[in-house]
Amino acid sequence: MGPMQGSAGSAPGRKTAMTVKDIARVAEVSPMTVSRVLSGGKNVRPALREHVERVIAEVGYHRNENARSLRPGQRSGLVGVLITNIGNPYYAGVVQGIEQVVAATGRRILVGTTNEDSDLERQLLSDFLGRQVEGLVVVPVGQDGDRFSAARLHDVPLVLASRTVERAPADAVLIDDVHGAREAAAIMLREGHRRVAFLGNKVTVSTGQRRLTGFRSAFADSGTAVDERLVVLGLQDAEASEHAMRELLTLADPPTAVFAANNRISVGAIRAIARAVADGSVAVPPRLFAFDSFDFADMAPIPLSVIDHDPAELGRVAARMLLSRLDGSAADEGARLVELPVHIVHH
């Protein structure tokens, strides 16, 4: 079924989402079954629920929460913002920057947290589109770019923040991850470190990939081999990082320096190192380079340097990019990429 034409309550040129009856027809079920699935799937067989959910995901149904309150041609005044972890001060800074710029135009933001869950991300995107947000700023989960196609988003402008997604035709604002990681690793190598550990997150997260690329390139530039036994990936939080760091410290020849790919990973590494020093199992703590700052970094009980930048500025730039799409000033431009600089702070 092709996309439906805009209704009287839609913004000009905006495609209207499928209705419950449309979904029922495509899925070959009753509208009541579709409604039950949309309400949580109670009293619907699991196999049938999964079938209907697949159809909903494929055709792009979005519950229209604002349709009754918006007059024809009236904008919603809402911008949807998706981040991965509300408990991470980094993302709080990003949201603060977005809100600062968006609020100056008389708009408000809706914030959702995905917790690195792609299914939750799809649901939140659907909810935001159902509320007829004018635009989206998203810290994406994974590398499935199809969910960000113009058809799936019903032509709502999108800016990706902090991370990129392959095949996603969207503006993006990033940190210069590769340069920052390369410079940090080069400093450690110049200091004489050769056994340098890399603590990273999921390989499907573009920031993790880019920072690992920068780290490896510094070793290649110096003609030094990376000890792959010291490269630990897939760390999602401080607890996982702490465990990984403890394991590295028990090696017969432990690392003399560590690169932590984000602030949560840095916190876990510091905990493990500080405890190992306190119990006497480590006499000389490894030197630590942390990507992204964090609270009390200047009070770390070990040698620490931070690859720093301003997350609020990333949010402000993302919001300005989105607004340039909304006001038409960037209407004729293709997908844009902005990389913000980093600087190193030694504590």
Side-chain angles (χ1 to χ4, degrees), residues 38-330:
L38 290 169
S39 298
K42 186 177 181 180
N43 298 324
V44 180
R45 288 183 292 106
L48 183 58
R49 184 186 69 242
E50 291 175 5
H51 167 65
V52 175
E53 287 174 343
R54 280 196 300 271
V55 171
I56 291 171
E58 289 170 1
V59 302
Y61 172 83
H62 307 294
R63 192 191 303 274
N64 191 342
E65 305 289 355
N66 284 356
R68 294 180 182 178
S69 61
L70 293 180
R71 296 186 298 274
Q74 181 185 10
R75 64 180 179 85
S76 69
L78 299 174
V79 168
V81 178
L82 282 185
I83 59 175
T84 58
N85 182 0
I86 195 63
N88 189 333
Y90 175 86
Y91 290 117
V94 172
V95 171
Q96 183 181 36
I98 295 170
E99 186 172 30
Q100 178 183 348
V101 172
V102 167
T105 69
R107 295 177 172 88
R108 290 183 291 179
I109 64 172
L110 298 175
V111 180
T113 304
T114 63
N115 297 318
E116 301 286 1
D117 184 328
S118 57
D119 290 333
L120 180 56
E121 181 190 68
R122 282 192 291 270
Q123 183 59 57
L124 288 169
L125 282 171
S126 179
D127 290 346
F128 282 175
L129 293 171
R131 287 169 171 78
Q132 295 186 317
V133 294
E134 296 179 39
L136 292 160
V137 179
V138 176
V139 179
V141 177
Q143 286 297 315
D144 175 17
D146 293 339
R147 68 192 188 280
F148 294 130
S149 68
R152 287 285 182 88
L153 297 182
H154 296 274
D155 293 326
V156 172
L158 165 71
V159 175
L160 300 176
S162 182
R163 303 174 180 177
T164 56
V165 175
E166 296 176 4
R167 304 187 316 279
D171 293 330
V173 55
L174 308 176
I175 300 304
D176 194 350
D177 304 291
V178 176
H179 173 75
R182 182 171 57 235
E183 184 176 357
I187 290 173
M188 288 185 278
L189 287 167
R190 287 198 298 269
E191 292 174 347
H193 298 284
R194 292 298 178 267
R195 291 184 56 72
V196 183
F198 182 95
L199 301 181
N201 49 3
K202 282 184 176 181
V203 294
T204 56
V205 176
S206 65
T207 50
Q209 293 175 343
R210 286 159 56 86
R211 292 169 189 180
L212 181 57
T213 295
F215 177 84
R216 290 189 184 281
S217 67
F219 278 77
D221 292 342
S222 70
T224 305
V226 174
D227 187 336
E228 298 298 335
R229 294 171 299 174
L230 303 181
V231 176
V232 183
L233 305 177
L235 304 175
Q236 285 297 95
D237 50 36
E239 289 71 26
S241 173
E242 182 178 358
H243 176 76
M245 189 70 248
R246 283 201 307 266
E247 293 292 313
L248 290 173
L249 292 173
T250 63
L251 295 175
D253 192 7
T256 63
V258 179
F259 181 98
N262 65 35
N263 56 1
R264 297 293 89 189
I265 291 174
S266 300
V267 169
I270 290 173
R271 287 176 182 164
I273 295 169
R275 288 171 180 170
V277 171
D279 66 21
S281 58
V282 170
V284 179
R287 191 240 205 284
L288 178 65
F289 247 102
F291 211 118
D292 303 333
S293 190
F294 50 93
D295 290 343
F296 308 115
D298 58 334
M299 298 175 65
I302 63 172
L304 172 67
S305 297
V306 174
I307 307 160
D308 202 9
H309 59 93
D310 183 0
E313 178 60 13
L314 185 144
R316 287 189 289 268
V317 172
R320 292 183 194 118
M321 294 176 77
L322 181 64
L323 292 175
S324 70
R325 294 294 186 185
L326 294 177
D327 65 21
S329 60

